[in-house]
Amino acid sequence: MPLLPILLATALAASGPASAQAQVAAKVHAFHGEMGVYAKNLTTGETIAVNADQRFPTASLIKVAVMAEVFRQMGEGKFARTTPVALRDDAKAGDETVPLNMIHDGTVLTVGDLLHFMIAYSDNTATNLLIGLVGTANVDHLLDSYGLTKTRLYRPTFRDGHADVLPEEEKEYGLGSTTPREAATLLELIAEGKVVSRAACDDMIALLAQQQDRAMIPRSLPFEKEEILVANKTGWDEEKRPDAKGFKGDVRNDAAYVKTPKTRYVLAICARRIADKNPGVDSEALKTGGEISRMIYDAFSAKAPAALSKPSS
């Protein structure tokens, strides 16, 4: 093989996913807490994985699974996006100033409204109304049907210690649990049109693209240079159990389907026992996650020279 193609191939390998794997691992290992990452390039099949099979509390990231089950039951005709749902004061979750908690008792919403509030604004009252509609166990059965056996919903929000299923796991993980690999795989299934139907998946991607929390995965992507779709869902909570010193670290997650002019990929970043509890956008978890996201974007967007991308004759 001539020297120039060898040098080009070597340079490409050094700038591609293998290099990104080492860079991401270094970021994860330097993080003050526990972090896991899984990314899959849907164009090439290449993956980047660090602690990808470690289980993490989901916080609001589990709402992606709730959304999927809502669409499954809509597909079966059990209800429609236009089905009315009355909001009552006793259904409001906690005292957060989320949209539905600001609306008066008796307001009539639709299932479609609740989906928008749950995904775009992570509204916990909307989430609880949807969980009440579809059932916690049914969400988990859906996950089982796709082989996502480490991803669980345990209960509605703001109901610590009162699990619908698996009470011992709920004491550890709270609202739900997942792994970075499974969280990303669920988004891959949706992106590839394999949950309910292609039309349902397109609707789910459109909902996720309305996400208002853009402080981690979308944080450092070059939106000013090219058209990038980020359809993501985040999660933020505090650990349910303190560590040996009595400290309750934070939980921060983000999972996304990303589409650019060059590639398509899914990415999940999960973190727990986070030492930095800064609630602002410059917390260590969000900044580290943003840096990892950009590393993966750069690696997956790198294009092979035309001469190397063609199969040899």
Side-chain angles (χ1 to χ4, degrees), residues 42 61 64 67 119-120 183-184 186-192 198 200-214 216-219 221 223 227-234 253-260 263-269 293:
L42 302 182
L61 181 55
V64 177
M67 174 182 68
I119 298 301
L186 178 56
L187 286 174
E188 177 186 357
L189 291 166
I190 293 171
E192 301 292 60
R198 178 71 265 177
C201 287
D202 288 343
D203 286 346
M204 285 188 264
I205 292 295
L207 283 167
L208 291 163
Q210 295 177 16
Q211 172 61 235
Q212 299 298 297
D213 185 352
R214 314 290 276 181
M216 190 188 284
I217 288 176
R219 182 188 189 97
L221 299 184
F223 294 99
E227 186 175 347
I228 304 173
L229 168 72
V230 180
N232 71 306
K233 184 71 194 77
T234 59
N253 302 314
D254 200 357
Y257 165 62
V258 181
K259 182 179 180 181
T260 81
T263 191
R264 300 162 56 245
Y265 61 92
V266 291
L267 166 62
I269 303 171
S293 171

Side-chain angles (χ1 to χ4, degrees), residues 136-215:
T136 300
N138 288 328
V139 174
D140 292 342
H141 291 158
L142 176 71
L143 293 165
D144 284 339
S145 73
Y146 291 107
L148 305 176
T149 59
K150 293 181 180 178
T151 304
R152 301 288 91 171
L153 171 70
Y154 299 114
R155 54 168 171 77
T157 69
F158 283 87
R159 226 178 65 183
D160 286 7
H162 299 280
D164 291 338
V165 299
L166 303 171
E168 289 305 310
E169 290 189 11
E170 188 269 347
K171 291 176 183 178
E172 167 72 15
Y173 298 107
L175 181 61
S177 64
T178 194
T179 69
R181 189 188 305 272
E182 289 199 0
T185 298
L186 178 56
L187 286 174
E188 177 186 357
L189 291 166
I190 293 171
E192 301 292 60
K194 296 180 179 179
V195 177
V196 183
S197 67
R198 178 71 265 177
C201 287
D202 288 343
D203 286 346
M204 285 188 264
I205 292 295
L207 283 167
L208 291 163
Q210 295 177 16
Q211 172 61 235
Q212 299 298 297
D213 185 352
R214 314 290 276 181

Side-chain angles (χ1 to χ4, degrees), residues 31-198:
F31 179 67
H32 295 91
E34 299 176 18
M35 180 175 281
V37 177
Y38 180 79
K40 181 177 180 180
N41 188 325
L42 302 182
T43 306
T44 66
E46 293 163 316
T47 62
I48 295 170
V50 181
N51 300 331
D53 298 310
Q54 179 178 335
R55 212 164 182 183
F56 290 83
T58 58
S60 291
L61 181 55
I62 196 63
K63 294 171 186 178
V64 177
V66 176
M67 174 182 68
E69 177 59 16
V70 171
F71 274 90
R72 187 191 72 80
Q73 293 195 23
M74 284 196 295
E76 291 186 345
K78 293 184 176 179
F79 47 83
R81 291 186 78 142
T82 55
T83 297
V85 179
L87 173 66
R88 299 299 179 190
D89 282 341
D90 60 6
K92 294 178 180 179
D95 57 0
E96 299 176 309
T97 54
V98 292
L100 293 197
N101 283 6
M102 310 295 287
I103 296 175
H104 67 80
D105 179 83
T107 298
V108 177
L109 302 155
T110 67
V111 169
D113 293 330
L114 298 179
L115 284 166
H116 281 286
F117 285 124
M118 178 177 73
I119 298 301
Y121 297 95
S122 207
D123 189 298
N124 286 318
T125 296
T127 302
N128 286 1
L129 290 170
L130 289 173
I131 292 173
L133 188 65
V134 301
T136 300
N138 288 328
V139 174
D140 292 342
H141 291 158
L142 176 71
L143 293 165
D144 284 339
S145 73
Y146 291 107
L148 305 176
T149 59
K150 293 181 180 178
T151 304
R152 301 288 91 171
L153 171 70
Y154 299 114
R155 54 168 171 77
T157 69
F158 283 87
R159 226 178 65 183
D160 286 7
H162 299 280
D164 291 338
V165 299
L166 303 171
E168 289 305 310
E169 290 189 11
E170 188 269 347
K171 291 176 183 178
E172 167 72 15
Y173 298 107
L175 181 61
S177 64
T178 194
T179 69
R181 189 188 305 272
E182 289 199 0
T185 298
L186 178 56
L187 286 174
E188 177 186 357
L189 291 166
I190 293 171
E192 301 292 60
K194 296 180 179 179
V195 177
V196 183
S197 67
R198 178 71 265 177

Side-chain angles (χ1 to χ4, degrees), residues 231-313:
N232 71 306
K233 184 71 194 77
T234 59
W236 179 18
D237 201 357
E238 185 177 64
E239 290 282 351
K240 300 307 171 188
R241 290 175 172 168
D243 62 17
K245 296 181 180 179
F247 178 72
K248 284 188 175 183
D250 275 4
V251 172
R252 290 273 197 170
N253 302 314
D254 200 357
Y257 165 62
V258 181
K259 182 179 180 181
T260 81
K262 296 176 181 178
T263 191
R264 300 162 56 245
Y265 61 92
V266 291
L267 166 62
I269 303 171
C270 299
R272 69 178 305 188
R273 307 194 193 287
I274 300 168
D276 180 9
K277 295 174 71 70
N278 175 2
V281 295
D282 289 328
S283 70
E284 184 189 12
L286 296 181
K287 290 174 70 175
T288 300
E291 291 165 356
I292 289 171
S293 171
R294 183 57 186 261
M295 289 175 182
I296 289 168
Y297 165 86
D298 289 341
F300 285 167
S301 296
K303 298 196 65 153
L308 294 180
S309 63
K310 294 178 181 178
S312 58
S313 56

